[in-house]
C-alpha cells in the first residue's frame, strides 16, 4: 500500500492505528507524504478482532507476510490510548 501511495502521488494519509500491523509510516514521511496517526482505540479493537477471526484472509491480504509484522495479543486484551 505504501508504494501505491507514493506511485500515485497521494500527499496526505490518515492511519487509524499501528499496533496490530506496523506499516511503513516512516517510509511515507521520508517520501514527503503527510501522515496522521490517530491511534484510535476502536480501530485497534476492530483490527485485532479481524486478524483473530480471519487469520488466513489477513495473511493473504498482506501478501503472506503476516508473521513478520502482525502483533496479535490475547483476545481479551484491552487497548489503552
Amino acid at each position: 500500500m505504501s508504494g501505491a501511495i507514493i506511485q500515485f502521488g497521494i500527499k496526505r494519509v490518515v492511519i487509524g492505528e499501528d499496533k496490530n500491523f506496523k506499516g511503513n509510516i516512516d517510509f511515507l514521511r521520508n517520501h514527503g507524504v503527510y501522515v496522521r496517526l490517530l491511534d484510535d482505540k476502536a480501530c485497534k479493537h476492530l483490527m485485532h478482532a479481524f486478524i483473530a477471526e480471519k487469520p488466513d484472509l489477513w495473511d493473504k491480504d498482506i501478501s503472506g507476510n503476516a508473521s513478520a509484522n502482525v502483533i496479535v495479543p490475547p483476545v481479551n486484551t484491552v487497548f489503552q490510548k
Side-chain angles (χ1 to χ4, degrees):
M1 183 64 71
S2 296
I5 291 168
I6 302 301
Q7 178 182 358
F8 292 106
I10 297 169
K11 299 294 181 191
R12 293 176 177 247
V13 175
V14 177
I15 297 173
E17 65 93 18
D18 70 345
K19 302 300 181 212
N20 289 288
F21 179 75
K22 293 287 183 189
N24 293 315
I25 294 173
D26 290 335
F27 173 81
L28 291 171
R29 287 179 174 152
N30 289 336
H31 284 83
V33 177
Y34 171 80
V35 179
R36 176 153 185 218
L37 176 59
L38 299 179
D39 198 27
D40 183 76
K41 185 177 180 179
C43 189
K44 290 177 192 176
H45 285 291
L46 180 67
M47 291 298 295
H48 175 73
F50 178 75
I51 294 167
E53 292 171 13
K54 308 224 184 253
D56 292 337
L57 181 58
W58 174 253
D59 188 55
K60 179 182 175 185
D61 184 51
I62 60 169
S63 302
N65 295 318
S67 61
N69 296 309
V70 176
I71 303 163
V72 181
V75 174
N76 62 354
T77 299
V78 176
F79 289 100
Q80 297 178 0
K81 196 169 186 181

